[in-house]
Amino acid sequence: MLILRIEVNYCQTLAESGGQEVARILGTGVMENSAKTLSKCAMINVALPLAVEDAPIVTQHWIMRRLVEEHKTFIPMIAHAGKIWARLSAQVYTDMDDFVWAGHQLLELCNRVKRGDAK
């Protein structure tokens, strides 16, 4: 049980700190509620620097497709409360470098959307 508890704590801590780092890279924030319970798991939602009206569902799909085809990774996205959110997951085999890498890939793709590449 001790090993499982260490793994859970590692994943929760990584998701929270990794999500904060991705938000810093993107210049945005993480999704949280007033009780601060949304970040008490191994996943975190980070806002992209795109408004929903600037990034319709087709653009979200374009970003996810570029992540798969160009970067060999998948990050699911949702639209909520006027923002586009990327859901990042911490695992026992990931570390902060993975979150930093994801943040830079998301930033690059958001900049491409802003330049009109997703049309």
Side-chain angles (χ1 to χ4, degrees):
M1 291 299 282
L2 179 60
I3 292 172
L4 180 59
R5 184 177 309 278
I6 291 169
E7 290 172 355
V8 168
N9 288 340
Y10 173 79
C11 290
Q12 287 178 351
T13 301
L14 178 59
E16 187 172 7
S17 59
Q20 290 295 336
E21 181 61 17
V22 172
R24 186 195 66 73
I25 290 166
L26 297 175
T28 63
V30 299
M31 185 185 289
E32 187 58 273
N33 60 19
S34 60
K36 305 284 188 210
T37 57
L38 290 180
S39 62
K40 297 297 181 210
C41 64
M43 292 183 287
I44 193 95
N45 293 302
V46 180
L48 298 183
L50 302 169
V52 171
E53 56 271 0
D54 297 333
I57 194 75
V58 172
T59 302
Q60 293 172 59
H61 289 169
W62 181 88
I63 292 171
M64 287 187 289
R65 187 176 189 105
R66 297 287 73 72
L67 285 166
V68 170
E69 292 178 357
E70 297 173 13
H71 304 287
K72 308 302 183 225
T73 194
F74 178 74
I75 300 173
M77 296 186 194
I78 59 166
H80 176 71
K83 297 178 182 177
I84 305 299
W85 300 88
R87 175 168 278 183
L88 302 165
S89 176
Q91 305 295 325
V92 295
Y93 52 82
T94 59
D95 60 25
M96 183 60 80
D97 289 343
D98 296 304
F99 278 80
V100 170
W101 178 85
H104 288 293
Q105 305 321 305
L106 289 168
L107 181 61
E108 183 254 326
L109 290 169
C110 288
N111 288 336
R112 287 172 60 185
V113 167
K114 291 175 183 178
R115 286 193 312 258
D117 291 0
K119 294 183 179 180

